[in-house]
Amino acid sequence: MAKSSKRPAKYDLKAADRKRNLAVQIGLTAIVVVFAVGLVFYIVSNGDKRQSGEAQAVRVETTSVIREEGGEQPKVVLSIYEDFLCPHCAQFEAAFGPTINKLVNSGAVAVDYYMLGIMDSPASQNGSTRAANAGYCVADADTSPAKEGFRRFHTALFMQQQPTGTPDDAMIETARQAGVTEGVAECINSGKYNDMVGGLAEATGITATPSVRINGEDYQQSTPQDLIAKVTEIVGEVPGLDSAPATPAPAPAPAPPAPAPAP
């Protein structure tokens, strides 16, 4: 009969260390995985929003824009701060819009549009912010040269201006008519830019709309011809900018209904 060994069993310290290290590695890997999943969820949930305090503009320029000598920046950047529910902004668009488009198309300027929401009200269901959000959404989706679709939408929205604000579905339809559709409805309905628009006035230091800056300096707009003169002071003579286009005449008001015949 074999005798049992009296020697104690050996304890493999290296094997124990390997097991402990493996357990630590598995634990750290699990933590990293959980963190990564959480980060992805946060990005998906919040990454589609633009935060308050940002000052985001819609840049409109052609490939032929006149640039600073030896640089990439346009020689003239016209910054326009506006609110789609502001009556004075609608008047500014009617008077200056054709000239601004002419300046852009000639390559004389780049334009930065800042669309604010300072005229929000319960009656309009925050119509200023909703319209500004729609403007940024359309600009995001517009892949045409010099954002022609956005410019059509921008002009149309001022022409449709109403104190109660434009319904979201009507703005989506206006974008479609302007030739921009890809992702616009989802962007407008999600309010992607609402937070950014809400903080835009403070971020840019704007207290009234419309406001205009040329290369960061306040510009007191007077006439379209004066704006052309100011731009040509900076960039020199530009073919086709000798005069401002005629301002379209306002549409005549509808005639009042005829009185009902006396009984």
Side-chain angles (χ1 to χ4, degrees):
M1 184 175 178
K3 294 182 179 179
S4 61
S5 175
K6 300 291 185 178
R7 289 178 297 176
K10 292 182 179 180
Y11 184 72
D12 191 341
L13 293 176
K14 292 183 178 180
D17 285 342
R18 287 195 296 270
K19 290 180 179 179
R20 183 170 60 252
N21 290 340
L22 181 60
V24 170
Q25 289 174 357
I26 292 172
L28 289 175
T29 300
I31 291 172
V32 170
V33 170
V34 170
F35 176 78
V37 170
L39 181 61
V40 169
F41 178 78
Y42 176 82
I43 292 172
V44 170
S45 300
N46 299 282
D48 201 35
K49 297 291 183 180
R50 296 297 183 271
Q51 299 304 311
S52 178
E54 296 179 23
Q56 186 166 341
V58 172
R59 169 64 61 90
V60 176
E61 66 181 26
T62 64
T63 55
S64 62
V65 66
I66 299 171
R67 302 189 185 277
E68 293 177 350
E69 192 168 346
E72 292 298 317
Q73 290 300 313
K75 201 166 186 179
V76 174
V77 177
L78 185 66
S79 300
I80 300 175
Y81 304 82
E82 56 195 359
D83 186 313
F84 281 117
L85 260 64
C86 160
H88 295 297
C89 296
Q91 293 167 6
F92 175 84
E93 171 62 23
F96 283 81
T99 297
I100 292 171
N101 280 328
K102 188 174 183 178
L103 288 166
V104 169
N105 294 336
S106 71
V109 304
V111 179
D112 282 348
Y113 287 98
Y114 294 86
M115 293 162 283
L116 285 69
I118 60 178
M119 294 193 68
D120 278 340
S121 69
S124 69
Q125 297 181 328
N126 295 332
S128 288
T129 292
R130 290 189 298 100
N133 171 70
Y136 281 104
C137 288
V138 171
D140 269 357
D142 185 8
T143 59
S144 62
K147 295 206 176 291
E148 294 164 0
F150 163 77
R151 286 194 274 171
R152 288 191 291 268
F153 175 85
H154 173 270
T155 299
L157 213 56
F158 275 119
M159 293 178 65
Q160 299 167 7
Q161 187 183 81
Q162 49 188 306
T164 54
T166 304
D168 288 356
D169 56 352
M171 290 190 288
I172 292 168
E173 173 59 20
T174 298
R176 187 193 68 78
Q177 293 178 8
V180 187
T181 57
E182 185 66 33
V184 168
E186 295 81 0
C187 182
I188 290 176
N189 290 329
S190 72
K192 176 179 179 178
Y193 289 96
N194 285 358
D195 289 343
M196 189 277 292
V197 168
L200 192 53
E202 183 177 359
T204 56
I206 292 297
T207 58
T209 54
S211 290
V212 179
R213 291 172 178 164
I214 297 179
N215 292 342
E217 298 292 328
D218 289 339
Y219 171 73
Q220 297 301 320
Q221 64 268 17
S222 51
T223 67
Q225 193 63 51
D226 287 341
L227 177 59
I228 288 178
K230 179 66 175 178
V231 170
T232 53
E233 276 181 23
I234 303 171
V235 300
E237 294 298 323
V238 178
L241 280 186
D242 51 337
S243 62
T247 302

